[in-house]
Structure formats: C-alpha cells, structure tokens
Short mmCIF file of all heavy atoms in Angstrom, two decimals:
data_model
loop_
_atom_site.label_atom_id
_atom_site.label_comp_id
_atom_site.label_asym_id
_atom_site.label_seq_id
_atom_site.Cartn_x
_atom_site.Cartn_y
_atom_site.Cartn_z
N SER A 185 0.87 -1.18 -0.04
CA SER A 185 0.02 0.03 -0.03
C SER A 185 0.81 1.14 -0.01
O SER A 185 2.02 1.28 0.42
CB SER A 185 -0.91 0.02 1.22
OG SER A 185 -1.75 -1.10 1.36
N LEU A 186 0.26 2.32 -0.55
CA LEU A 186 1.01 3.65 -0.46
C LEU A 186 -0.14 4.65 -0.50
O LEU A 186 -1.21 4.49 -1.09
CB LEU A 186 1.78 3.71 -1.83
CG LEU A 186 2.98 4.67 -1.72
CD1 LEU A 186 3.91 4.24 -0.76
CD2 LEU A 186 3.71 4.63 -3.14
N ARG A 187 0.15 5.80 0.11
CA ARG A 187 -0.88 6.93 0.20
C ARG A 187 -0.15 8.12 -0.41
O ARG A 187 0.94 8.54 -0.03
CB ARG A 187 -1.26 7.32 1.65
CG ARG A 187 -2.33 8.29 1.80
CD ARG A 187 -2.58 8.56 3.22
NE ARG A 187 -3.70 9.48 3.42
CZ ARG A 187 -5.02 9.29 3.42
NH1 ARG A 187 -5.44 8.05 3.29
NH2 ARG A 187 -5.84 10.19 3.62
N LEU A 188 -0.83 8.68 -1.49
CA LEU A 188 -0.41 9.88 -2.10
C LEU A 188 -1.20 11.03 -1.62
O LEU A 188 -2.46 11.00 -1.29
CB LEU A 188 -0.63 9.86 -3.64
CG LEU A 188 0.12 8.48 -4.36
CD1 LEU A 188 -0.16 8.73 -5.86
CD2 LEU A 188 1.55 8.59 -4.01
N SER A 189 -0.56 12.29 -1.55
CA SER A 189 -1.25 13.47 -1.22
C SER A 189 -1.08 14.55 -2.27
O SER A 189 0.01 14.64 -2.95
CB SER A 189 -0.70 14.02 0.16
OG SER A 189 -1.08 13.07 1.19
N CYS A 190 -2.06 15.44 -2.35
CA CYS A 190 -2.03 16.54 -3.30
C CYS A 190 -2.38 17.75 -2.48
O CYS A 190 -3.57 17.95 -1.92
CB CYS A 190 -2.96 16.45 -4.49
SG CYS A 190 -3.05 17.86 -5.58
N ALA A 191 -1.47 18.74 -2.37
CA ALA A 191 -1.72 19.92 -1.69
C ALA A 191 -2.09 21.06 -2.66
O ALA A 191 -1.19 21.25 -3.62
CB ALA A 191 -0.38 20.34 -0.83
N ALA A 192 -3.17 21.71 -2.54
CA ALA A 192 -3.50 22.73 -3.41
C ALA A 192 -3.39 24.10 -2.72
O ALA A 192 -3.62 24.36 -1.52
CB ALA A 192 -5.01 22.54 -3.87
N SER A 193 -3.04 25.14 -3.60
CA SER A 193 -2.88 26.52 -3.11
C SER A 193 -3.35 27.49 -4.17
O SER A 193 -3.51 26.98 -5.31
CB SER A 193 -1.54 26.83 -2.63
OG SER A 193 -0.56 26.53 -3.67
N GLY A 194 -3.54 28.69 -3.78
CA GLY A 194 -4.02 29.65 -4.72
C GLY A 194 -5.54 29.82 -4.69
O GLY A 194 -6.15 29.72 -3.68
N ARG A 195 -6.11 30.00 -5.85
CA ARG A 195 -7.47 30.29 -5.94
C ARG A 195 -8.43 28.94 -6.03
O ARG A 195 -8.98 28.58 -7.03
CB ARG A 195 -7.84 31.15 -7.17
CG ARG A 195 -7.31 32.49 -7.09
CD ARG A 195 -7.59 33.39 -8.28
NE ARG A 195 -6.87 34.64 -8.21
CZ ARG A 195 -6.93 35.49 -9.13
NH1 ARG A 195 -7.70 35.39 -10.26
NH2 ARG A 195 -6.26 36.60 -9.04
N THR A 196 -8.16 28.17 -4.88
CA THR A 196 -8.77 26.79 -4.83
C THR A 196 -10.33 26.79 -4.71
O THR A 196 -10.96 25.73 -5.18
CB THR A 196 -8.31 26.04 -3.66
OG1 THR A 196 -8.49 26.74 -2.50
CG2 THR A 196 -6.72 25.83 -3.82
N PHE A 197 -10.90 27.90 -4.44
CA PHE A 197 -12.37 28.07 -4.53
C PHE A 197 -13.03 27.65 -5.73
O PHE A 197 -14.13 27.31 -5.86
CB PHE A 197 -12.85 29.43 -3.97
CG PHE A 197 -12.47 30.53 -5.04
CD1 PHE A 197 -13.54 30.92 -5.79
CD2 PHE A 197 -11.32 31.19 -5.01
CE1 PHE A 197 -13.29 31.89 -6.78
CE2 PHE A 197 -11.16 32.23 -5.84
CZ PHE A 197 -12.13 32.53 -6.75
N SER A 198 -12.19 27.97 -6.83
CA SER A 198 -12.77 27.74 -8.24
C SER A 198 -12.66 26.35 -8.71
O SER A 198 -13.15 25.98 -9.75
CB SER A 198 -12.00 28.66 -9.18
OG SER A 198 -10.63 28.31 -9.24
N SER A 199 -11.94 25.35 -7.84
CA SER A 199 -11.75 24.09 -8.21
C SER A 199 -12.83 23.18 -7.59
O SER A 199 -12.70 22.83 -6.52
CB SER A 199 -10.35 23.60 -7.91
OG SER A 199 -9.42 24.36 -8.50
N ALA A 200 -13.95 22.84 -8.41
CA ALA A 200 -14.93 22.09 -7.87
C ALA A 200 -14.70 20.64 -7.92
O ALA A 200 -15.21 19.78 -7.13
CB ALA A 200 -16.32 22.41 -8.72
N ILE A 201 -13.79 20.09 -8.79
CA ILE A 201 -13.54 18.75 -8.88
C ILE A 201 -11.90 18.55 -8.94
O ILE A 201 -11.19 19.30 -9.58
CB ILE A 201 -13.98 18.27 -10.18
CG1 ILE A 201 -15.47 18.35 -10.24
CG2 ILE A 201 -13.57 16.72 -10.43
CD1 ILE A 201 -16.04 18.06 -11.67
N MET A 202 -11.51 17.62 -7.99
CA MET A 202 -10.10 17.25 -7.91
C MET A 202 -9.93 15.79 -8.38
O MET A 202 -10.79 15.02 -8.11
CB MET A 202 -9.56 17.43 -6.55
CG MET A 202 -9.69 18.87 -5.99
SD MET A 202 -8.54 20.06 -6.82
CE MET A 202 -7.02 19.41 -6.09
N ALA A 203 -8.85 15.53 -9.15
CA ALA A 203 -8.67 14.08 -9.58
C ALA A 203 -7.20 13.73 -9.57
O ALA A 203 -6.28 14.51 -9.42
CB ALA A 203 -9.23 14.12 -11.00
N TRP A 204 -7.11 12.48 -9.68
CA TRP A 204 -5.76 11.81 -9.92
C TRP A 204 -5.71 11.13 -11.28
O TRP A 204 -6.62 10.36 -11.63
CB TRP A 204 -5.52 10.79 -8.82
CG TRP A 204 -5.14 11.27 -7.48
CD1 TRP A 204 -6.09 11.52 -6.49
CD2 TRP A 204 -3.92 11.71 -6.90
NE1 TRP A 204 -5.45 12.07 -5.36
CE2 TRP A 204 -4.11 12.22 -5.66
CE3 TRP A 204 -2.64 11.85 -7.53
CZ2 TRP A 204 -3.05 12.80 -4.88
CZ3 TRP A 204 -1.61 12.34 -6.78
CH2 TRP A 204 -1.79 12.77 -5.45
N PHE A 205 -4.66 11.34 -11.98
CA PHE A 205 -4.32 10.63 -13.28
C PHE A 205 -3.00 10.07 -13.10
O PHE A 205 -2.25 10.29 -12.10
CB PHE A 205 -4.22 11.64 -14.40
CG PHE A 205 -5.63 12.18 -14.93
CD1 PHE A 205 -6.30 13.13 -14.14
CD2 PHE A 205 -6.20 11.67 -16.03
CE1 PHE A 205 -7.53 13.60 -14.64
CE2 PHE A 205 -7.32 12.15 -16.55
CZ PHE A 205 -8.07 13.03 -15.77
N ARG A 206 -2.60 9.15 -13.96
CA ARG A 206 -1.38 8.53 -13.94
C ARG A 206 -0.84 8.25 -15.34
O ARG A 206 -1.61 8.13 -16.28
CB ARG A 206 -1.26 7.15 -13.16
CG ARG A 206 -2.10 6.10 -13.69
CD ARG A 206 -2.18 4.84 -12.79
NE ARG A 206 -2.92 3.71 -13.41
CZ ARG A 206 -3.26 2.62 -12.76
NH1 ARG A 206 -2.87 2.41 -11.41
NH2 ARG A 206 -3.91 1.71 -13.34
N GLN A 207 0.51 8.19 -15.54
CA GLN A 207 1.09 7.92 -16.72
C GLN A 207 2.30 7.09 -16.59
O GLN A 207 3.36 7.41 -15.95
CB GLN A 207 1.57 9.24 -17.47
CG GLN A 207 1.99 9.14 -18.85
CD GLN A 207 2.15 10.44 -19.56
OE1 GLN A 207 2.29 11.57 -18.92
NE2 GLN A 207 2.19 10.39 -20.85
N ALA A 208 2.27 5.88 -17.14
CA ALA A 208 3.20 4.86 -17.13
C ALA A 208 4.19 5.30 -18.26
O ALA A 208 3.90 6.02 -19.25
CB ALA A 208 2.80 3.54 -17.35
N SER A 209 5.50 4.90 -18.03
CA SER A 209 6.61 5.20 -19.03
C SER A 209 6.19 4.73 -20.42
O SER A 209 5.79 3.56 -20.59
CB SER A 209 7.84 4.56 -18.65
OG SER A 209 8.88 4.86 -19.58
N GLY A 210 6.14 5.57 -21.39
CA GLY A 210 5.87 5.18 -22.76
C GLY A 210 4.35 5.02 -23.11
O GLY A 210 3.90 4.63 -24.23
N LYS A 211 3.40 5.33 -22.09
CA LYS A 211 2.09 5.24 -22.29
C LYS A 211 1.37 6.57 -22.18
O LYS A 211 1.96 7.61 -21.60
CB LYS A 211 1.41 4.19 -21.34
CG LYS A 211 2.02 2.82 -21.53
CD LYS A 211 1.42 1.86 -20.52
CE LYS A 211 1.97 0.47 -20.73
NZ LYS A 211 1.42 -0.53 -19.86
N GLU A 212 0.15 6.62 -22.48
CA GLU A 212 -0.67 7.85 -22.37
C GLU A 212 -1.18 7.98 -20.84
O GLU A 212 -1.42 7.03 -20.20
CB GLU A 212 -1.87 7.82 -23.33
CG GLU A 212 -1.41 7.87 -24.78
CD GLU A 212 -2.59 7.86 -25.67
OE1 GLU A 212 -3.76 7.83 -25.32
OE2 GLU A 212 -2.41 8.10 -26.92
N ARG A 213 -1.35 9.23 -20.61
CA ARG A 213 -1.96 9.50 -19.23
C ARG A 213 -3.37 8.99 -19.16
O ARG A 213 -4.20 9.12 -20.11
CB ARG A 213 -1.87 10.96 -18.90
CG ARG A 213 -2.12 11.53 -17.48
CD ARG A 213 -1.89 12.82 -17.32
NE ARG A 213 -0.37 13.14 -17.51
CZ ARG A 213 0.08 14.34 -17.49
NH1 ARG A 213 -0.62 15.37 -17.03
NH2 ARG A 213 1.41 14.59 -17.70
N GLU A 214 -3.68 8.37 -17.99
CA GLU A 214 -5.03 7.83 -17.78
C GLU A 214 -5.68 8.26 -16.55
O GLU A 214 -5.00 8.56 -15.46
CB GLU A 214 -5.08 6.29 -17.93
CG GLU A 214 -4.27 5.65 -16.78
CD GLU A 214 -4.30 4.11 -16.81
OE1 GLU A 214 -5.08 3.57 -17.58
OE2 GLU A 214 -3.50 3.50 -16.18
N PHE A 215 -6.98 8.29 -16.46
CA PHE A 215 -7.88 8.75 -15.34
C PHE A 215 -7.72 7.60 -14.23
O PHE A 215 -7.75 6.41 -14.53
CB PHE A 215 -9.24 8.92 -15.72
CG PHE A 215 -10.12 9.11 -14.50
CD1 PHE A 215 -10.22 10.37 -13.94
CD2 PHE A 215 -11.01 8.10 -14.18
CE1 PHE A 215 -11.06 10.63 -12.80
CE2 PHE A 215 -11.86 8.30 -13.01
CZ PHE A 215 -11.86 9.53 -12.48
N VAL A 216 -7.58 8.00 -12.99
CA VAL A 216 -7.65 7.12 -11.75
C VAL A 216 -8.83 7.31 -10.96
O VAL A 216 -9.55 6.41 -10.73
CB VAL A 216 -6.23 7.31 -11.04
CG1 VAL A 216 -6.34 6.36 -9.87
CG2 VAL A 216 -5.03 6.95 -11.84
N ALA A 217 -9.01 8.58 -10.41
CA ALA A 217 -10.09 8.75 -9.56
C ALA A 217 -10.45 10.23 -9.45
O ALA A 217 -9.46 11.19 -9.82
CB ALA A 217 -9.69 8.27 -8.10
#
C-alpha cells in the first residue's frame, strides 16, 4: 500500500473537482479517480 497526497494552493475556491491521473513510461496519461 501507498498513500499519495495533493496539496492545493492559490484560488482553490474555483476548483470544484479534484482528480488523480497516472502515466506509465511510454504510455498515455489515464484517469484514476
């Protein structure tokens, strides 16, 4: 297991949706959550 964190700053009030994507080496970026 592993836990990732994303810290947001700036005008965060405008961000209604937060997401995680991932990109493996040599592959396209894909949606995670």
Side-chain angles (χ1 to χ4, degrees):
S185 300
L186 205 62
R187 186 178 181 88
L188 306 181
S189 295
C190 173
S193 62
R195 300 179 182 180
T196 56
F197 70 92
S198 63
S199 299
I201 301 170
M202 301 290 290
W204 287 95
F205 285 76
R206 67 186 182 186
Q207 185 168 21
S209 180
K211 298 182 179 180
E212 296 184 351
R213 192 170 300 182
E214 64 176 352
F215 172 78
V216 176

